[in-house]
Amino acid sequence: MNAIRIIPCLDVDEGRVVKGVKFTGIRDAGDPVELAERYNEGGADEITFLDIGATYKSREIMRGIVEAVSRRVFVPLTVGGGIRTVEDMQAILRSGADKVSLCSAALNDPALLTEGARRFGNQCIVLSIDAKRHGDTWHAYKSGGRTDSGRDAVAWAIEAVERGAGEILLNSIDADGTQAGYDLELLRRVSAAVPVPVIASGGAGKLEHFTAAVREGKADALLLASLLHDGVMTIRQIKEYLRNEEVMVRC
Amino acid sequence: MIGIVDYGAGNLRSVLKAFEFIGLPAQVLAAPAEMKGASRIVVPGVGAFGAAVEKLDASGFRAPLTDWVAAGRPLLGICLGMQLFLDSSEETPGPRGLGIIPGGNRKFTAGKVPQIGWNRVASSGDPLFAGLSAAPWFYFVHSYYAAPDDPAMVVATADYGITFPAALRSGSAVGVQFHPEKSGEAGLALLKNWGCS
C-alpha cells in the first residue's frame, strides 16, 4: 500500500515564488530553492514547481532552480508551466526534474503525451486537468483556466492515460480558492476512470477535506499551495491528522 | 570512487547528486574502460527491460559488469538496474539480463500499475538497512518486480497487492527496487550504508 502523498506546489515567475510563503525564520520568502528545502524538511513527499511566467527567460531560470534544488532535495520533483515540446521536457528532466506536468500544451497537441511517454517513460508524464463543471459533466480548460477546450474532463483523462500519462493532477476550477472542500464527485469520477494515481487539487480549507478527498474521492495524493504557504497548516499537522484518521502517510 | 554506469538508460544524474550530497566521491562512467578507476559500481535504470538490455550490450558493459561481480566487487542495482541482474523479464520476453541473480521479473497484476509512490519496506536485517527505522519508507516507480529463484536472496520486501522483493543480495551484488536517490533521508542513509560498507 502506498502512502497518501502531500505535495506542496510553488508558483514561480522568473525565478521568484509568487504570493510568497509565510514561514517563520525564513530568509527570503521568494526564493524557490530555500522554500523547497524547507518543505522537504517539513515532510513533503514530492515538490511541484509551476512556472507561471512561462516566457523563454522564465523557463531558463526554472531550469537553474531545478538544478539547484535537485542537489539538495532528494524527493521527486515535478515541473509544470510553459512546457510545449519534447525538447522542453528533455531540458527540464536533464536539469533534475523527475516528472513534467502538462496542461494546455497537451490539450493543444495530445501527441505530446504519447511522444513524451515514449521518450521518457509514463512515470515522467503528469497530465494536469483544470476542470470546470458544465451541468452534469466537467470540461477541461486551458490557458490557466481561461479557455474552455470543449473536451469532457473525464474522457480527456482516459485518453491521456491511454496516450501515456502516468499520473493525473486534477484541479477543480469551481472549488479552487473557496476553501469549501474538494469537488468530490469530479475526483471520484476521474479516479474510477483511470488506472493511474490521481492528485487532488483545489478547494481544501480544513483537515476533514483531506480525508474526504482520499476516502470519497479516492485521491492518491494532495497538492497544496496557499494553505501551506500562508501558514494555515503544516504538512506535519496534515499528516498527523490523516494518521489518526487511519489514512496511511509517510512519517 | 563510486562509478555510475551510463549505458544510456537512466536518471543517473540524481544518483550522482545524492552521492555528492552525502560526501561520497562519484562519477558517471561513459565506457567500460572507465570502471578501472572505480571501487564500487552502480547500475541505475529507468525504462523498459528489453531496451536496457540492448543498450547494455551496445555500450559493452555486460561482460565487465558480470566479471566485476564474479571478482566479488561491490555492485548496486537501482530499480530497472536491479531487474537487469536477473535472467529475464515478462516486460520483454527474449532478451537476457545479466544473470547475476537466477530468476525473472514479473508484472504486477493488481492495483494501479505502475506503482508510483512511497511504500514501507521490511528488511531482514541486511546491512544496507542498518540504522534505519523499523519499516522505512521508500519511493517506488515500477510495473514489474523481481522474482529470484532463491528466496534467500530477498533481503527486504514491500506490499503492493502482493508481497514483492524490495531488495536483493547475492554475494557482492545488491539491488533495490525503489529509488534511494528520491527517498529523502532514508534513501540517503541507505546509499551511505552501501557506499561506506
Short mmCIF file of all heavy atoms in Angstrom, two decimals, chain A residues 24-79:
data_model
loop_
_atom_site.label_atom_id
_atom_site.label_comp_id
_atom_site.label_asym_id
_atom_site.label_seq_id
_atom_site.Cartn_x
_atom_site.Cartn_y
_atom_site.Cartn_z
N THR A 24 8.06 31.01 9.42
CA THR A 24 8.83 31.78 10.40
C THR A 24 10.32 31.53 10.16
O THR A 24 10.72 30.42 9.81
CB THR A 24 8.45 31.36 11.83
OG1 THR A 24 8.47 29.95 11.90
CG2 THR A 24 7.09 31.90 12.22
N GLY A 25 11.08 32.57 10.32
CA GLY A 25 12.53 32.45 10.24
C GLY A 25 13.07 32.21 8.85
O GLY A 25 14.20 31.75 8.68
N ILE A 26 12.27 32.53 7.86
CA ILE A 26 12.77 32.32 6.51
C ILE A 26 13.54 33.57 6.08
O ILE A 26 13.15 34.69 6.40
CB ILE A 26 11.60 32.01 5.56
CG1 ILE A 26 12.11 31.31 4.31
CG2 ILE A 26 10.81 33.23 5.18
CD1 ILE A 26 11.60 29.92 4.20
N ARG A 27 14.64 33.33 5.36
CA ARG A 27 15.46 34.48 4.96
C ARG A 27 14.85 35.20 3.76
O ARG A 27 14.76 36.39 3.72
CB ARG A 27 16.87 33.99 4.61
CG ARG A 27 17.69 33.55 5.81
CD ARG A 27 19.12 33.24 5.41
NE ARG A 27 19.20 32.19 4.40
CZ ARG A 27 19.21 30.89 4.69
NH1 ARG A 27 19.14 30.50 5.94
NH2 ARG A 27 19.29 29.99 3.74
N ASP A 28 14.41 34.41 2.80
CA ASP A 28 13.88 35.01 1.57
C ASP A 28 12.62 34.26 1.17
O ASP A 28 12.67 33.15 0.65
CB ASP A 28 14.96 34.90 0.47
CG ASP A 28 14.48 35.48 -0.84
OD1 ASP A 28 13.30 35.87 -0.95
OD2 ASP A 28 15.31 35.55 -1.78
N ALA A 29 11.48 34.87 1.43
CA ALA A 29 10.19 34.21 1.20
C ALA A 29 9.91 33.97 -0.27
O ALA A 29 8.97 33.29 -0.63
CB ALA A 29 9.06 35.03 1.81
N GLY A 30 10.76 34.54 -1.14
CA GLY A 30 10.52 34.37 -2.56
C GLY A 30 11.50 33.44 -3.24
O GLY A 30 11.44 33.23 -4.44
N ASP A 31 12.42 32.85 -2.45
CA ASP A 31 13.45 32.01 -3.06
C ASP A 31 12.98 30.55 -3.16
O ASP A 31 12.84 29.86 -2.15
CB ASP A 31 14.73 32.09 -2.21
CG ASP A 31 15.82 31.16 -2.72
OD1 ASP A 31 15.68 30.65 -3.86
OD2 ASP A 31 16.80 30.94 -2.01
N PRO A 32 12.73 30.08 -4.37
CA PRO A 32 12.18 28.73 -4.53
C PRO A 32 13.10 27.62 -3.99
O PRO A 32 12.61 26.59 -3.51
CB PRO A 32 11.99 28.58 -6.04
CG PRO A 32 12.66 29.73 -6.68
CD PRO A 32 12.89 30.77 -5.65
N VAL A 33 14.42 27.85 -4.06
CA VAL A 33 15.33 26.80 -3.59
C VAL A 33 15.23 26.65 -2.07
O VAL A 33 15.10 25.55 -1.54
CB VAL A 33 16.79 27.10 -4.02
CG1 VAL A 33 17.72 26.00 -3.53
CG2 VAL A 33 16.89 27.26 -5.53
N GLU A 34 15.24 27.79 -1.38
CA GLU A 34 15.14 27.74 0.08
C GLU A 34 13.78 27.17 0.52
O GLU A 34 13.70 26.37 1.44
CB GLU A 34 15.35 29.14 0.68
CG GLU A 34 15.41 29.09 2.20
CD GLU A 34 15.63 30.45 2.86
OE1 GLU A 34 15.80 31.45 2.15
OE2 GLU A 34 15.62 30.48 4.10
N LEU A 35 12.73 27.57 -0.18
CA LEU A 35 11.40 27.08 0.19
C LEU A 35 11.26 25.58 -0.05
O LEU A 35 10.67 24.86 0.74
CB LEU A 35 10.32 27.86 -0.58
CG LEU A 35 10.22 29.32 -0.15
CD1 LEU A 35 9.24 30.08 -1.04
CD2 LEU A 35 9.79 29.43 1.30
N ALA A 36 11.84 25.11 -1.15
CA ALA A 36 11.79 23.68 -1.44
C ALA A 36 12.50 22.90 -0.33
O ALA A 36 12.03 21.86 0.13
CB ALA A 36 12.42 23.38 -2.80
N GLU A 37 13.64 23.44 0.12
CA GLU A 37 14.37 22.78 1.22
C GLU A 37 13.53 22.75 2.49
O GLU A 37 13.50 21.76 3.21
CB GLU A 37 15.68 23.52 1.49
CG GLU A 37 16.76 23.19 0.50
CD GLU A 37 18.09 23.77 0.95
OE1 GLU A 37 18.79 23.13 1.74
OE2 GLU A 37 18.41 24.89 0.48
N ARG A 38 12.86 23.87 2.76
CA ARG A 38 12.04 23.93 3.97
C ARG A 38 10.89 22.92 3.91
O ARG A 38 10.59 22.24 4.89
CB ARG A 38 11.49 25.36 4.16
CG ARG A 38 12.54 26.34 4.60
CD ARG A 38 13.05 26.07 6.02
NE ARG A 38 12.02 26.29 7.00
CZ ARG A 38 11.91 27.39 7.74
NH1 ARG A 38 12.80 28.35 7.61
NH2 ARG A 38 10.93 27.52 8.62
N TYR A 39 10.24 22.85 2.77
CA TYR A 39 9.15 21.89 2.63
C TYR A 39 9.66 20.45 2.71
O TYR A 39 8.99 19.56 3.24
CB TYR A 39 8.38 22.13 1.33
CG TYR A 39 7.34 23.23 1.45
CD1 TYR A 39 7.31 24.29 0.56
CD2 TYR A 39 6.38 23.19 2.47
CE1 TYR A 39 6.37 25.30 0.68
CE2 TYR A 39 5.44 24.20 2.59
CZ TYR A 39 5.43 25.25 1.70
OH TYR A 39 4.49 26.24 1.83
N ASN A 40 10.84 20.23 2.17
CA ASN A 40 11.44 18.91 2.24
C ASN A 40 11.68 18.52 3.71
O ASN A 40 11.31 17.43 4.14
CB ASN A 40 12.76 18.90 1.46
CG ASN A 40 13.48 17.59 1.52
OD1 ASN A 40 12.89 16.53 1.30
ND2 ASN A 40 14.76 17.63 1.84
N GLU A 41 12.24 19.46 4.47
CA GLU A 41 12.46 19.20 5.90
C GLU A 41 11.13 19.03 6.63
O GLU A 41 11.04 18.30 7.61
CB GLU A 41 13.24 20.37 6.53
CG GLU A 41 14.71 20.41 6.12
CD GLU A 41 15.32 21.80 6.27
OE1 GLU A 41 14.71 22.66 6.94
OE2 GLU A 41 16.41 22.02 5.71
N GLY A 42 10.11 19.69 6.12
CA GLY A 42 8.80 19.64 6.75
C GLY A 42 8.00 18.39 6.42
O GLY A 42 6.87 18.24 6.91
N GLY A 43 8.55 17.51 5.60
CA GLY A 43 7.88 16.24 5.34
C GLY A 43 7.18 16.12 4.00
O GLY A 43 6.37 15.21 3.79
N ALA A 44 7.50 17.02 3.05
CA ALA A 44 6.88 16.93 1.71
C ALA A 44 7.27 15.60 1.05
O ALA A 44 8.42 15.18 1.13
CB ALA A 44 7.34 18.09 0.85
N ASP A 45 6.30 14.96 0.43
CA ASP A 45 6.57 13.68 -0.24
C ASP A 45 7.02 13.87 -1.68
O ASP A 45 7.45 12.92 -2.34
CB ASP A 45 5.31 12.81 -0.21
CG ASP A 45 4.91 12.47 1.20
OD1 ASP A 45 5.78 11.97 1.94
OD2 ASP A 45 3.75 12.71 1.57
N GLU A 46 6.90 15.08 -2.14
CA GLU A 46 7.21 15.42 -3.52
C GLU A 46 7.07 16.94 -3.58
O GLU A 46 6.37 17.51 -2.75
CB GLU A 46 6.17 14.75 -4.42
CG GLU A 46 6.43 14.76 -5.88
CD GLU A 46 5.49 13.79 -6.62
OE1 GLU A 46 5.15 12.72 -6.10
OE2 GLU A 46 5.11 14.14 -7.73
N ILE A 47 7.73 17.59 -4.53
CA ILE A 47 7.57 19.04 -4.64
C ILE A 47 7.28 19.40 -6.09
O ILE A 47 7.91 18.85 -7.01
CB ILE A 47 8.84 19.78 -4.12
CG1 ILE A 47 9.01 19.48 -2.62
CG2 ILE A 47 8.73 21.29 -4.35
CD1 ILE A 47 10.29 19.97 -2.01
N THR A 48 6.29 20.27 -6.28
CA THR A 48 5.92 20.70 -7.63
C THR A 48 6.23 22.18 -7.80
O THR A 48 5.94 22.98 -6.91
CB THR A 48 4.43 20.42 -7.88
OG1 THR A 48 4.24 19.00 -7.95
CG2 THR A 48 3.96 21.03 -9.19
N PHE A 49 6.83 22.50 -8.93
CA PHE A 49 7.07 23.89 -9.31
C PHE A 49 6.22 24.19 -10.53
O PHE A 49 6.22 23.43 -11.49
CB PHE A 49 8.54 24.13 -9.68
CG PHE A 49 9.48 23.91 -8.54
CD1 PHE A 49 10.13 22.69 -8.40
CD2 PHE A 49 9.72 24.90 -7.61
CE1 PHE A 49 11.00 22.47 -7.34
CE2 PHE A 49 10.59 24.70 -6.55
CZ PHE A 49 11.22 23.47 -6.41
N LEU A 50 5.51 25.30 -10.45
CA LEU A 50 4.72 25.72 -11.59
C LEU A 50 5.27 27.04 -12.09
O LEU A 50 5.24 28.05 -11.38
CB LEU A 50 3.25 25.86 -11.18
CG LEU A 50 2.26 25.98 -12.31
CD1 LEU A 50 2.33 24.76 -13.23
CD2 LEU A 50 0.85 26.11 -11.74
N ASP A 51 5.81 27.01 -13.30
CA ASP A 51 6.38 28.22 -13.90
C ASP A 51 5.24 29.02 -14.52
O ASP A 51 4.78 28.72 -15.61
CB ASP A 51 7.40 27.81 -14.98
CG ASP A 51 8.04 29.00 -15.66
OD1 ASP A 51 7.82 30.13 -15.21
OD2 ASP A 51 8.77 28.78 -16.64
N ILE A 52 4.78 30.03 -13.78
CA ILE A 52 3.63 30.77 -14.29
C ILE A 52 4.06 31.90 -15.23
O ILE A 52 3.23 32.48 -15.93
CB ILE A 52 2.73 31.32 -13.16
CG1 ILE A 52 3.50 32.31 -12.28
CG2 ILE A 52 2.17 30.20 -12.30
CD1 ILE A 52 2.58 33.17 -11.46
N GLY A 53 5.35 32.20 -15.24
CA GLY A 53 5.86 33.21 -16.17
C GLY A 53 5.78 32.69 -17.59
O GLY A 53 5.28 33.33 -18.50
N ALA A 54 6.26 31.45 -17.73
CA ALA A 54 6.15 30.72 -18.99
C ALA A 54 6.73 31.48 -20.20
O ALA A 54 6.38 31.21 -21.32
CB ALA A 54 4.70 30.30 -19.26
N THR A 55 7.62 32.43 -19.95
CA THR A 55 8.34 33.05 -21.05
C THR A 55 9.64 32.26 -21.23
O THR A 55 9.98 31.42 -20.39
CB THR A 55 8.73 34.51 -20.71
OG1 THR A 55 9.53 34.48 -19.52
CG2 THR A 55 7.49 35.35 -20.47
N TYR A 56 10.35 32.54 -22.30
CA TYR A 56 11.60 31.82 -22.52
C TYR A 56 12.55 32.04 -21.34
O TYR A 56 13.14 31.10 -20.82
CB TYR A 56 12.26 32.28 -23.82
CG TYR A 56 13.56 31.57 -24.06
CD1 TYR A 56 13.58 30.25 -24.53
CD2 TYR A 56 14.78 32.18 -23.75
CE1 TYR A 56 14.78 29.58 -24.70
CE2 TYR A 56 15.97 31.52 -23.91
CZ TYR A 56 15.97 30.22 -24.40
OH TYR A 56 17.16 29.56 -24.55
N LYS A 57 12.64 33.28 -20.92
CA LYS A 57 13.55 33.62 -19.83
C LYS A 57 13.15 32.90 -18.53
O LYS A 57 13.97 32.36 -17.81
CB LYS A 57 13.53 35.14 -19.61
CG LYS A 57 14.56 35.62 -18.60
CD LYS A 57 14.46 37.12 -18.38
CE LYS A 57 15.25 37.55 -17.16
NZ LYS A 57 14.75 38.80 -16.60
N SER A 58 11.85 32.89 -18.26
CA SER A 58 11.35 32.25 -17.05
C SER A 58 11.66 30.75 -17.05
O SER A 58 12.02 30.17 -16.03
CB SER A 58 9.84 32.50 -16.93
OG SER A 58 9.39 32.21 -15.63
N ARG A 59 11.52 30.14 -18.22
CA ARG A 59 11.80 28.69 -18.33
C ARG A 59 13.27 28.40 -18.09
O ARG A 59 13.64 27.43 -17.45
CB ARG A 59 11.40 28.18 -19.71
CG ARG A 59 9.92 27.92 -19.85
CD ARG A 59 9.66 26.85 -20.87
NE ARG A 59 10.20 27.16 -22.19
CZ ARG A 59 9.59 27.93 -23.08
NH1 ARG A 59 8.43 28.46 -22.79
NH2 ARG A 59 10.13 28.16 -24.25
N GLU A 60 14.11 29.30 -18.61
CA GLU A 60 15.54 29.13 -18.45
C GLU A 60 15.93 29.24 -16.97
O GLU A 60 16.71 28.45 -16.45
CB GLU A 60 16.25 30.22 -19.24
CG GLU A 60 17.61 29.85 -19.72
CD GLU A 60 18.16 30.95 -20.63
OE1 GLU A 60 18.21 32.12 -20.18
OE2 GLU A 60 18.51 30.65 -21.76
N ILE A 61 15.33 30.21 -16.29
CA ILE A 61 15.60 30.39 -14.86
C ILE A 61 15.10 29.17 -14.09
O ILE A 61 15.75 28.69 -13.16
CB ILE A 61 14.93 31.68 -14.33
CG1 ILE A 61 15.53 32.91 -15.03
CG2 ILE A 61 15.09 31.81 -12.82
CD1 ILE A 61 14.79 34.20 -14.78
N MET A 62 13.95 28.64 -14.50
CA MET A 62 13.38 27.46 -13.82
C MET A 62 14.34 26.28 -13.89
O MET A 62 14.49 25.53 -12.93
CB MET A 62 12.02 27.11 -14.46
CG MET A 62 11.35 25.92 -13.82
SD MET A 62 11.03 26.14 -12.05
CE MET A 62 9.36 26.73 -12.10
N ARG A 63 15.01 26.13 -15.02
CA ARG A 63 15.96 25.02 -15.14
C ARG A 63 17.08 25.17 -14.12
O ARG A 63 17.50 24.19 -13.51
CB ARG A 63 16.52 24.96 -16.57
CG ARG A 63 15.50 24.48 -17.59
CD ARG A 63 16.18 23.99 -18.86
NE ARG A 63 16.74 25.06 -19.66
CZ ARG A 63 16.07 25.74 -20.59
NH1 ARG A 63 14.80 25.43 -20.82
NH2 ARG A 63 16.64 26.69 -21.28
N GLY A 64 17.53 26.39 -13.91
CA GLY A 64 18.57 26.64 -12.92
C GLY A 64 18.07 26.33 -11.51
O GLY A 64 18.81 25.78 -10.68
N ILE A 65 16.83 26.67 -11.24
CA ILE A 65 16.23 26.41 -9.92
C ILE A 65 16.17 24.90 -9.67
O ILE A 65 16.57 24.41 -8.61
CB ILE A 65 14.82 27.02 -9.84
CG1 ILE A 65 14.91 28.55 -9.84
CG2 ILE A 65 14.07 26.51 -8.61
CD1 ILE A 65 13.56 29.24 -10.05
N VAL A 66 15.69 24.18 -10.68
CA VAL A 66 15.55 22.72 -10.53
C VAL A 66 16.92 22.08 -10.34
O VAL A 66 17.09 21.18 -9.52
CB VAL A 66 14.80 22.13 -11.76
CG1 VAL A 66 14.84 20.63 -11.75
CG2 VAL A 66 13.36 22.63 -11.77
N GLU A 67 17.89 22.58 -11.08
CA GLU A 67 19.26 22.07 -10.95
C GLU A 67 19.75 22.26 -9.50
O GLU A 67 20.30 21.34 -8.89
CB GLU A 67 20.16 22.82 -11.95
CG GLU A 67 21.65 22.55 -11.82
CD GLU A 67 22.04 21.15 -12.23
OE1 GLU A 67 21.45 20.62 -13.18
OE2 GLU A 67 22.95 20.59 -11.57
N ALA A 68 19.50 23.44 -8.95
CA ALA A 68 19.95 23.73 -7.59
C ALA A 68 19.16 22.91 -6.56
O ALA A 68 19.75 22.35 -5.63
CB ALA A 68 19.80 25.22 -7.30
N VAL A 69 17.85 22.82 -6.73
CA VAL A 69 17.03 22.06 -5.77
C VAL A 69 17.42 20.58 -5.78
O VAL A 69 17.53 19.94 -4.73
CB VAL A 69 15.51 22.24 -6.07
CG1 VAL A 69 14.67 21.31 -5.20
CG2 VAL A 69 15.09 23.69 -5.85
N SER A 70 17.67 20.05 -6.98
CA SER A 70 17.95 18.61 -7.08
C SER A 70 19.31 18.23 -6.50
O SER A 70 19.62 17.05 -6.38
CB SER A 70 17.85 18.15 -8.54
OG SER A 70 18.88 18.75 -9.30
N ARG A 71 20.11 19.22 -6.14
CA ARG A 71 21.37 18.93 -5.45
C ARG A 71 21.20 18.86 -3.93
O ARG A 71 22.09 18.46 -3.21
CB ARG A 71 22.42 20.01 -5.76
CG ARG A 71 22.88 19.97 -7.18
CD ARG A 71 24.02 20.92 -7.44
NE ARG A 71 24.44 20.76 -8.82
CZ ARG A 71 25.21 19.76 -9.22
NH1 ARG A 71 25.71 18.89 -8.36
NH2 ARG A 71 25.52 19.64 -10.50
N ARG A 72 20.05 19.31 -3.45
CA ARG A 72 19.86 19.42 -2.00
C ARG A 72 18.61 18.73 -1.49
O ARG A 72 18.47 18.49 -0.29
CB ARG A 72 19.78 20.90 -1.60
CG ARG A 72 20.86 21.75 -2.27
CD ARG A 72 20.67 23.21 -1.96
NE ARG A 72 20.94 23.46 -0.56
CZ ARG A 72 22.15 23.69 -0.07
NH1 ARG A 72 23.18 23.72 -0.88
NH2 ARG A 72 22.32 23.89 1.20
N VAL A 73 17.68 18.44 -2.41
CA VAL A 73 16.39 17.86 -2.00
C VAL A 73 16.23 16.53 -2.72
O VAL A 73 16.27 16.49 -3.96
CB VAL A 73 15.25 18.83 -2.35
CG1 VAL A 73 13.90 18.16 -2.16
CG2 VAL A 73 15.34 20.10 -1.50
N PHE A 74 16.05 15.45 -1.95
CA PHE A 74 16.02 14.14 -2.57
C PHE A 74 14.67 13.46 -2.47
O PHE A 74 14.53 12.35 -1.96
CB PHE A 74 17.18 13.30 -2.02
CG PHE A 74 18.51 13.89 -2.42
CD1 PHE A 74 19.16 14.77 -1.58
CD2 PHE A 74 19.04 13.64 -3.67
CE1 PHE A 74 20.36 15.38 -1.97
CE2 PHE A 74 20.24 14.23 -4.07
CZ PHE A 74 20.90 15.10 -3.22
N VAL A 75 13.65 14.20 -2.92
CA VAL A 75 12.32 13.62 -3.13
C VAL A 75 11.95 13.97 -4.58
O VAL A 75 12.60 14.83 -5.19
CB VAL A 75 11.27 14.16 -2.14
CG1 VAL A 75 11.63 13.78 -0.70
CG2 VAL A 75 11.09 15.67 -2.27
N PRO A 76 10.93 13.31 -5.14
CA PRO A 76 10.60 13.58 -6.54
C PRO A 76 10.23 15.05 -6.77
O PRO A 76 9.56 15.68 -5.94
CB PRO A 76 9.40 12.68 -6.80
CG PRO A 76 9.57 11.56 -5.82
CD PRO A 76 10.14 12.20 -4.59
N LEU A 77 10.69 15.59 -7.90
CA LEU A 77 10.42 16.98 -8.27
C LEU A 77 9.63 17.00 -9.58
O LEU A 77 10.01 16.35 -10.54
CB LEU A 77 11.75 17.73 -8.47
CG LEU A 77 12.73 17.70 -7.30
CD1 LEU A 77 14.05 18.38 -7.70
CD2 LEU A 77 12.14 18.38 -6.06
N THR A 78 8.55 17.75 -9.57
CA THR A 78 7.71 17.87 -10.76
C THR A 78 7.71 19.33 -11.20
O THR A 78 7.64 20.22 -10.36
CB THR A 78 6.27 17.42 -10.46
OG1 THR A 78 6.32 16.07 -9.98
CG2 THR A 78 5.39 17.46 -11.70
N VAL A 79 7.80 19.55 -12.51
CA VAL A 79 7.78 20.91 -13.02
C VAL A 79 6.71 21.05 -14.10
O VAL A 79 6.61 20.20 -15.00
CB VAL A 79 9.15 21.31 -13.62
CG1 VAL A 79 9.10 22.72 -14.20
CG2 VAL A 79 10.23 21.24 -12.55
#
